[in-house]
Amino acid sequence: MDVRALIREEVLAQRAYPVETTPCRIKLDANENPLAIPPRLRERFAKLLASIDLNRYPEAGSVALASRFAAAFGVKADQVIIGNGSDELIQILCAALARPGAEVIIPVPTFAMYRISALNSGLRVAAVPLDKEFDLDLPALQEQLAAHPPALTFLAWPNNPTGNCFSRERIEAILKAASGIVVVDEAYFHFSGKTFLPEIDRYENLVILRTLSKVGLAAMRIGLLIGPPVLVHELHKVRLPYNLNALSQAAAGFYLDQEEAFLQQAAQIRGWRGELFSALAALPGIHPRPTDANFIFFSCDFDADRVYKHLMERGILIKNFNSLGTMRGYMRITVGTREENQEFLDALRDIIEK
Ligand SMILES: Cc1ncc(COP(=O)(O)O)c(C=O)c1O
């Protein structure tokens, strides 16, 4: 039997989401928080997890948790749905909105999962290149919106991998022009401090995504969607009944109880980001782009593959975009601890001086 003949063409044509698995000493490739939960909280966290009845299903739909996050966001409980990472919420949105022939608009380059989830749901993807400053190309987007009104538009704010926030006015213009849902993905909110949350009741088509992955709980897979109640109601039908496991639900509650500690870490990372940016900018042939996230996108005048390989040999893993035609010469480094950043800078200096 030819199993491949049974699989949808869009799936066959894809490559699985690339995750680098090479062991490394210093991991700066996945935009994680480099810091563990503060030692003074670790025991309390361990006790909380140990108290969970693992023989029982978790609360279906994480309803209690959604209410707590809604209160924290200043919205109503029926405006929030929690996912197994924001990845799952992207998948749920795509699955719910994939009517026959429906389209998704994504500016490119951007976060890979928008395209992957859209294609897997049978949606058509219209990719609109960013302008030279990595901002939204508003005329091109408006043309696309008018020619093929999409069911969904994904805007990562700040954008991954470029690191910048698109200009607010352009996003507002898209919110006004789009008849479909516009997702403003604020995965890096803790490092940008910018949000569309106060606009949530102003635009019927606005959906905001948040995650706890970048602020310290990537392993727990906790994503949040804030949107109009009528949409959230439908999305609940698409999610799996127990999409968020009991340990993750408890971890999300713990985050809310101890948010200050996590926010302090984010502030520390923002400080390290500034230092890393200045040091990169001072290196000859290295051109970091302005960033509002916990990573820095930079181009280098040297062979990026060689730089990447040499860093790997020194046990330092970053993300290399060189093989993607439009991003030749570009790499992305997650902001690590001050010591990790220093090791990276020392290694980079050695490589480019060779
Ligand atoms: C823009 C953006 N959105 C969403 C995600 C996924 O986050 P999560 O870990 O919550 O699935 C990422 C992860 O890198 C991201 O860059």
Side-chain angles (χ1 to χ4, degrees):
M1 183 177 111
D2 181 5
V3 173
R4 286 173 53 90
L6 301 171
I7 309 281
R8 292 208 336 260
E9 266 175 42
E10 309 89 282
V11 177
L12 289 174
Q14 279 183 51
R15 278 194 297 163
Y17 182 79
V19 177
E20 182 59 65
T21 51
T22 314
C24 59
R25 216 165 27 87
I26 298 182
K27 190 174 181 315
L28 301 174
D29 68 320
N31 305 341
E32 297 146 328
N33 176 345
L35 303 168
I37 291 179
R40 70 191 160 80
L41 295 182
R42 234 170 278 170
E43 202 174 319
R44 220 181 297 172
F45 189 52
K47 269 199 191 133
L48 173 68
L49 298 188
S51 72
I52 290 165
D53 291 331
L54 296 182
N55 54 322
R56 300 291 178 195
Y57 283 108
E59 187 192 74
S62 317
V63 183
L65 200 54
S67 300
R68 288 195 65 193
F69 274 100
F73 292 142
V75 300
K76 294 189 219 76
D78 61 359
Q79 288 181 282
V80 176
I81 177 168
I82 307 191
N84 195 282
S86 37
D87 280 349
E88 191 202 20
L89 296 166
I90 293 164
Q91 188 183 45
I92 290 174
L93 276 166
C94 288
L97 293 164
R99 302 178 76 207
E103 270 200 24
V104 169
I105 293 184
I106 51 170
V108 287
T110 193
F111 180 49
M113 286 313 298
Y114 305 146
R115 180 195 287 274
I116 294 173
S117 283
L119 292 176
N120 284 340
S121 292
L123 285 155
R124 286 207 291 245
V125 175
V128 178
L130 296 173
D131 70 12
K132 284 200 185 66
E133 296 306 315
F134 294 145
D135 201 345
L136 297 172
D137 182 341
L138 194 54
L141 284 164
Q142 281 169 329
E143 205 179 303
Q144 184 65 34
L145 283 168
H148 300 279
L152 259 170
T153 302
F154 283 108
L155 304 174
W157 204 62
N159 188 39
N160 176 14
T162 57
N164 57 309
C165 276
F166 306 136
S167 58
R168 190 181 269 275
E169 301 71 39
R170 293 185 195 186
I171 295 184
E172 278 173 9
I174 288 169
L175 278 163
K176 285 180 188 140
S179 49
I181 299 294
V182 178
V183 178
V184 177
D185 181 348
E186 298 180 348
Y188 300 95
F189 163 74
H190 299 95
F191 309 99
S192 72
K194 295 181 190 165
T195 179
F196 268 80
L197 202 51
E199 315 298 327
I200 197 75
D201 292 326
R202 224 177 108 201
Y203 296 102
E204 272 183 329
N205 55 348
L206 171 61
V207 163
I208 292 173
L209 288 179
R210 293 277 183 91
T211 178
L212 302 190
S213 294
K214 311 301 173 186
V215 75
L217 292 174
M220 302 311 290
R221 313 299 301 122
I222 300 152
L224 301 133
L225 180 151
I226 305 119
V230 58
L231 175 71
V232 169
H233 177 77
E234 300 305 324
L235 297 181
H236 275 297
K237 301 179 191 171
V238 179
R239 70 161 171 77
L240 296 177
Y242 306 111
N243 62 330
L244 203 69
N245 73 69
L247 301 178
S248 297
Q249 288 188 12
F254 182 83
Y255 172 85
L256 285 173
D257 292 338
Q258 307 293 341
E259 189 167 30
E260 204 38 52
F262 290 92
L263 297 184
Q264 270 171 22
Q265 290 188 339
Q268 204 167 14
I269 293 163
R270 290 197 300 271
W272 293 333
R273 171 181 71 189
E275 295 168 8
L276 178 59
F277 187 93
S278 309
L280 274 174
L283 287 176
I286 302 288
H287 313 288
R289 305 286 313 194
T291 180
D292 275 312
N294 65 339
F295 56 84
I296 298 174
F297 197 49
F298 65 94
S299 63
C300 65
D301 299 344
F302 314 96
D303 175 359
D305 291 338
R306 187 180 73 89
V307 172
Y308 177 76
K309 194 169 139 267
H310 281 275
L311 287 169
M312 284 281 258
E313 282 165 11
R314 304 265 293 245
I316 302 167
L317 182 61
I318 67 170
K319 182 113 176 163
N320 184 9
F321 288 87
N322 198 36
S323 62
L324 303 176
T326 51
M327 287 180 277
R328 198 163 303 282
Y330 273 100
M331 311 183 100
R332 187 192 71 198
I333 176 164
T334 306
V335 178
T337 61
R338 182 174 276 152
E339 295 71 30
E340 288 174 330
N341 298 337
Q342 194 53 54
E343 268 213 53
F344 159 74
L345 287 164
D346 292 344
L348 186 59
R349 213 171 279 124
D350 288 351
I351 295 160
I352 63 183
E353 278 167 7
K354 249 188 216 162

